[in-house]
C-alpha cells in the first residue's frame, strides 16, 4: 500500500497543480455526458454518474494508461437499451458483473496485445468517426421541447445567446494558452462563461435542465435476478458485446493517448482494470463503461499525465453529487458544448485528409469505411472489426499475387521449381497453376528456400500438386522447407504425403521414410 500511495503521488509539486486542475476540468465535462448516456440507456441519471465515479476511480488507480479517463459511455449505453427494456434494470446490473469477469479473463490471458492487429487506416477512421460523433451529438443542445412533446431547433434570441456563449468558450480555450498555461484553458472557459450567465442573469440552458445530479454515496446492491442458467443465457450476449466494445474503445483510446504523450501504456493491465471496474460497478448499481476518448483528450491537453488527474476527476464528480450539485447544475450547457466542439476538432486527424493521394487506395477505402460505420451506426466495435477484416483481405489479396515459381532443368533431366512468396489460402490456386505435370520429366524438385507454407490450404496445395504427378507415375521431392513449414507437414502427415530429398544441405530430414506421393 505504501508503494501504491507513493506511485500515485510521486509527481513533483509543480505537476500536482496541473494534475488537480485538469482532473477538475474533466469532472465538469463528465457530468452532462454521464447524464445523457443514462437517459439513452433508459436508467436514472444517478446510475450514469455513479458509474463514471466508480469506473473512473478504479481505472485511474489500476489501469495501464495513466492520464486516461474512463466512465459511462455512449457505446455501452446503446448496447444495453434492449436489455433494460425487455428484462429490467436488475438484469443490466447482472450483465455488467459478467462483462467485468470477461474483461478480467481477457487481461489475464494477455489478449490485450491483439490491439496491434488494428492497422493505422482503421485507427484514423475510428478517430475521425468518433470526432464527428462528438461534434454532431452536441447539436441536441440547440433543440428545445415543443408543447406536443417533440423537439425543434432554437431560433431568435435563445439561439444567438447559445451560439455566442459557445463561441466565447471556444475562443478562450483556443487562445488562452498563448497568454498563460498556469491553469487549464478549458476550466477557465467554463468558469468564465458560467459567471457571465449567472451574474448577467442570462436565460440559457444549464446542466440542471437535463436532470438533477444530487444524490448520496453509491450503495452496495446485489442484482435481484434468479441465479440460474436461463439468466446467464439472457445476459451473456449483452455482456460479451459490452466487454468487446468496452475493450476495443479502451485499447484504441490507450493507443491514441500513447501517441500524444509519446509514452507506452499496458494493454493487458488496462483490460484487467476495466474488468475490475465494471465488476465493482455492477455490485453498486452501475451501467458499465469504458475509456472515454473525449474526456481523455481533455485531460491530456489540460496537462493530466499521471494517475492523480483521473483520481481527482472521479472524486470531484462524487463531490459534485454529494455537496455541490446546486452549483454544478448552474453551469451553462453552452460552455460544455463549446468544450466538446474543441475536443472534436482536436480529435479529428486532419493529417489523414492530406494522405489520400499518398497512400494505397485500399488504405483510403478502409479509413473512409470505418469512419462511415462509426458515424452512421454508432457501433465502434463493428467499425473496427469491419476495418480489420477488410484490411486483412486486402493484405491477403496483395500477398497472393506474390507467389512465383522459377523453373529450371538440370543436366540430369530433373526439373526444379524454385518457389518465391508465401503459400497460404489466397495463393494456393496460383501455386497449383505454376506446374505442368503432363509435360514435366519423371522427377521434379519443389524448392521452398524462398517460400513458406503458412496454413492448411498451403499444405493441401502441395498435396494436390504431388498427387497430380503421382497419377502420371512421376515423383516429386520437396527441398528447403523452413522449420515452421516442416512442422505443419509433420503434424498433418496422415492426410498430406510428401517426399523429402535426402541431400538437403540446410535442414534435417523429416525422416528416413520415403512415401510415394
Amino acid at each position: 500500500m505504501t508503494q501504491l500511495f507513493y506511485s500515485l503521488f510521486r509527481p513533483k509539486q509543480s505537476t500536482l497543480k496541473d494534475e488537480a486542475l485538469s482532473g477538475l476540468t474533466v469532472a465538469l465535462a463528465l457530468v452532462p455526458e454521464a447524464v445523457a448516456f443514462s437517459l439513452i440507456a433508459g436508467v436514472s441519471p444517478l446510475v450514469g454518474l455513479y458509474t463514471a465515479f466508480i469506473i473512473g476511480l478504479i481505472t485511474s488507480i489500476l489501469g495501464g494508461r495513466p492520464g486516461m479517463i474512463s466512465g459511462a459511455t455512449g457505446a455501452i449505453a446503446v448496447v444495453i437499451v434492449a436489455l433494460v427494456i425487455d428484462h429490467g434494470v436488475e438484469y443490466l446490473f447482472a450483465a455488467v458483473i459478467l462483462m467485468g469477469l470477461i474483461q478480467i479473463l481477457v487481461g489475464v490471458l494477455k489478449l490485450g496485445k491483439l490491439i496491434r492487429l488494428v492497422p493505422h487506416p482503421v485507427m484514423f477512421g475510428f478517430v475521425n468517426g468518433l470526432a464527428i460523433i462528438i461534434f454532431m451529438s452536441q447539436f441536441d443542445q440547440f433543440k428545445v421541447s415543443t408543447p406536443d412533446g417533440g423537439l425543434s431547433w432554437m431560433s431568435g434570441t435563445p439561439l444567438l445567446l447559445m451560439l455566442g456563449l459557445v463561441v466565447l468558450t471556444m475562443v478562450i480555450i483556443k487562445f488562452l494558452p498563448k497568454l498563460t498555461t498556469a491553469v487549464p484553458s478549458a476550466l477557465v472557459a467554463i468558469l468564465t462563461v458560467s459567471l457571465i450567465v449567472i451574474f448577467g442573469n442570462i436565460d440559457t440552458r444549464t446542466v440542471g435542465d437535463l436532470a438533477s445530479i444530487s444524490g448520496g454515496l453509491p450503495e452496495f446492491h446485489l442484482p435481484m435476478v434468479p441465479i440460474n442458467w436461463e439468466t446467464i443465457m439472457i445476459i451473456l450476449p449483452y455482456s460479451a458485446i459490452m466487454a468487446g466494445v468496452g475493450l476495443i474503445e479502451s485499447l484504441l483510446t490507450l493507443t491514441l493517448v500513447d501517441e500524444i504523450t509519446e509514452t507506452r501504456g499496458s494493454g493487458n493491465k488496462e483490460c484487467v482494470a476495466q474488468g475490475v471496474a465494471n465488476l465493482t460497478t455492477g455490485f453498486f448499481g452501475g451501467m458499465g463503461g469504458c475509456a472515454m476518448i473525449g474526456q481523455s483528450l481533455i485531460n491530456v491537453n489540460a496537462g493530466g499525465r499521471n494517475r492523480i488527474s483521473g483520481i481527482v476527476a472521479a472524486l470531484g464528480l462524487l463531490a459534485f453529487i454529494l455537496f455541490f450539485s446546486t452549483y454544478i447544475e448552474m453551469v451553462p450547457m453552452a460552455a460544455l458544448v463549446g468544450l466538446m466542439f474543441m475536443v472534436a476538432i482536436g480529435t479529428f486527424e486532419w493529417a489523414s485528409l492530406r494522405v489520400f493521394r499518398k497512400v494505397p487506395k485500399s488504405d483510403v477505402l478502409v479509413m473512409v469505411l470505418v469512419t462511415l460505420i462509426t458515424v452512421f451506426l454508432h457501433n465502434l466495435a463493428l467499425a473496427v472489426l469491419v476495418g480489420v477484416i477488410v484490411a486483412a483481405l486486402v493484405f491477403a489479396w496483395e500477398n497472393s499475387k506474390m507467389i512465383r515459381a522459377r523453373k529450371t532443368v538440370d543436366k540430369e533431366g530433373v526439373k526444379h521449381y524454385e518457389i518465391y512468396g508465401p503459400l497460404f489460402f489466397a495463393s494456393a490456386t496460383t501455386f497449383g497453376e505454376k506446374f505442368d505435370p503432363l509435360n514435366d520429366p519423371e522427377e521434379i524438385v519443389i524448392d521452398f528456400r524462398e517460400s513458406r507454407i503458412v496454413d492448411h490450404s498451403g499444405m493441401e496445395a502441395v498435396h494436390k500438386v504431388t498427387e497430380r504427378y503421382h497419377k502420371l507415375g512421376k515423383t516429386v521431392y520437396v527441398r528447403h522447407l523452413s522449420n515452421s513449414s516442416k512442422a505443419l507437414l509433420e503434424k498433418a502427415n496422415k492426410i498430406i504425403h510428401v517426399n523429402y530429398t535426402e541431400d538437403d544441405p540446410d535442414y534435417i530430414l523429416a525422416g528416413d521414410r520415403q512415401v510415394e506421393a
Side-chain angles (χ1 to χ4, degrees):
M1 289 299 295
T2 303
Q3 291 180 344
L4 175 61
F5 183 84
Y6 176 73
S7 66
L8 292 177
F9 294 93
R10 185 168 49 189
K12 298 179 181 179
Q13 190 66 31
S14 59
T15 306
L16 282 174
K17 180 199 68 174
D18 296 335
E19 295 288 318
L21 291 177
S22 62
L24 182 58
T25 306
V26 170
L28 289 170
L30 281 171
V31 174
E33 294 280 300
V35 171
F37 296 147
S38 300
L39 297 177
I40 291 174
V43 297
S44 166
L46 280 176
V47 170
L49 291 169
Y50 288 147
T51 299
F53 159 64
I54 295 172
I55 293 181
L57 181 63
I58 293 176
T59 55
S60 294
I61 296 174
L62 303 179
R65 173 64 266 176
M68 193 167 76
I69 304 298
S70 297
T73 60
I76 300 296
V78 171
V79 174
I80 64 179
V81 172
L83 177 62
V84 174
I85 293 175
D86 295 339
H87 301 282
V89 72
E90 294 295 332
Y91 278 83
L92 166 61
F93 301 151
V96 172
I97 293 172
L98 182 56
M99 165 193 180
L101 292 173
I102 294 173
Q103 291 180 326
I104 292 174
L105 182 63
V106 170
V108 170
L109 295 178
K110 300 187 182 301
L111 300 179
K113 60 186 178 182
L114 293 178
I115 195 64
R116 300 173 189 170
L117 297 178
V118 179
H120 214 61
V122 176
M123 278 291 297
F124 271 167
F126 163 79
V127 171
N128 291 347
L130 207 52
I132 294 172
I133 288 178
I134 292 173
F135 191 88
M136 294 179 63
S137 65
Q138 306 310 309
F139 292 156
D140 289 340
Q141 304 305 326
F142 292 88
K143 297 178 180 179
V144 293
S145 299
T146 58
D148 59 357
L151 293 175
S152 64
W153 290 97
M154 289 180 177
S155 61
T157 303
L159 177 60
L160 294 177
L161 283 174
M162 186 76 171
L163 289 174
L165 293 173
V166 168
V167 171
L168 176 60
T169 304
M170 297 174 68
V171 169
I172 294 174
I173 294 175
K174 175 66 176 178
F175 295 104
L176 182 62
K178 299 181 183 298
L179 301 177
T180 178
T181 57
V183 290
S185 59
L187 180 59
V188 173
I190 293 173
L191 293 176
T192 301
V193 174
S194 298
L195 291 174
I196 291 175
V197 169
I198 294 170
F199 290 102
N201 198 25
I202 298 175
D203 184 17
T204 186
R205 177 177 290 182
T206 63
V207 172
D209 293 330
L210 291 181
S212 173
I213 67 168
S214 177
L217 289 171
E219 298 179 357
F220 183 81
H221 173 76
L222 286 174
M224 303 298 291
V225 298
I227 303 177
N228 52 38
W229 184 251
E230 182 181 356
T231 298
I232 294 177
M233 288 296 98
I234 290 174
I235 66 175
L236 180 59
Y238 294 97
S239 298
I241 294 173
M242 286 192 293
V245 169
L247 289 182
I248 289 174
E249 189 162 353
S250 298
L251 294 175
L252 288 177
T253 303
L254 181 147
T255 303
L256 182 62
V257 176
D258 281 354
E259 293 181 358
I260 294 174
T261 60
E262 297 182 351
T263 56
R264 184 171 182 178
S266 171
N268 293 319
K269 189 175 181 180
E270 185 62 34
C271 290
V272 173
Q274 292 286 337
V276 172
N278 281 297
L279 177 65
T280 304
T281 196
F283 283 114
F284 283 87
M287 58 182 281
C290 59
M292 308 179 75
I293 188 169
Q295 278 66 19
S296 297
L297 290 174
I298 291 174
N299 188 45
V300 171
N301 293 333
R305 293 291 190 277
N306 299 286
R307 300 185 186 275
I308 298 175
S309 57
I311 295 173
V312 169
L315 295 178
L317 181 60
L318 181 63
F320 294 162
I321 298 171
L322 297 177
F323 310 113
F324 305 108
S325 59
T326 301
Y327 303 103
I328 299 304
E329 289 172 8
M330 297 169 64
V331 173
M333 286 303 303
L336 298 176
V337 169
L339 171 61
M340 296 311 293
F341 275 162
M342 292 302 293
V343 168
I345 293 172
T347 301
F348 194 89
E349 286 283 359
W350 299 100
S352 63
L353 301 179
R354 297 195 295 268
V355 301
F356 271 24
R357 296 184 179 181
K358 300 178 182 178
V359 298
K361 293 180 180 179
S362 58
D363 285 351
V364 174
L365 171 65
V366 169
M367 191 187 313
V368 173
L369 183 62
V370 173
T371 299
L372 292 177
I373 294 176
T374 303
V375 170
F376 290 104
L377 299 183
H378 289 209
N379 191 327
L380 304 180
L382 177 64
V384 173
L385 181 62
V386 170
V388 171
I389 291 175
V390 172
L393 291 176
V394 171
F395 175 81
W397 174 255
E398 293 298 326
N399 275 270
S400 70
K401 297 185 290 186
M402 296 176 62
I403 195 80
R404 305 185 310 279
R406 181 185 178 190
K407 307 168 188 178
T408 58
V409 179
D410 62 22
K411 58 184 180 181
E412 297 178 358
V414 178
K415 189 170 184 178
H416 295 257
Y417 286 85
E418 297 179 19
I419 308 301
Y420 298 85
L423 178 55
F424 64 116
F425 67 92
S427 60
T429 301
T430 305
F431 171 80
E433 295 172 350
K434 302 294 182 182
F435 298 90
D436 185 11
L438 288 176
N439 299 314
D440 280 349
E442 295 299 314
E443 293 185 350
I444 73 162
V445 174
I446 305 177
D447 194 328
F448 281 92
R449 184 192 297 271
E450 301 296 335
S451 180
R452 187 165 65 91
I453 301 173
V454 177
D455 58 10
H456 178 259
S457 296
M459 293 189 295
E460 187 64 26
V462 174
H463 176 57
K464 287 181 178 179
V465 167
T466 57
E467 193 175 50
R468 287 160 60 192
Y469 282 98
H470 175 62
K471 289 179 179 179
L472 297 173
K474 301 178 181 180
T475 305
V476 177
Y477 297 96
V478 176
R479 298 187 66 194
H480 296 133
L481 281 174
S482 66
N483 291 332
S484 59
S485 300
K486 191 174 294 185
L488 280 176
L489 292 179
E490 288 175 350
K491 289 180 180 179
N493 60 4
K494 292 184 179 180
I495 58 174
I496 304 294
H497 301 289
V498 181
N499 287 328
Y500 295 92
T501 60
E502 294 183 351
D503 60 342
D504 194 326
D506 296 327
Y507 295 93
I508 299 174
L509 295 178
D512 296 327
R513 175 177 60 89
Q514 284 289 326
V515 181
E516 279 280 312

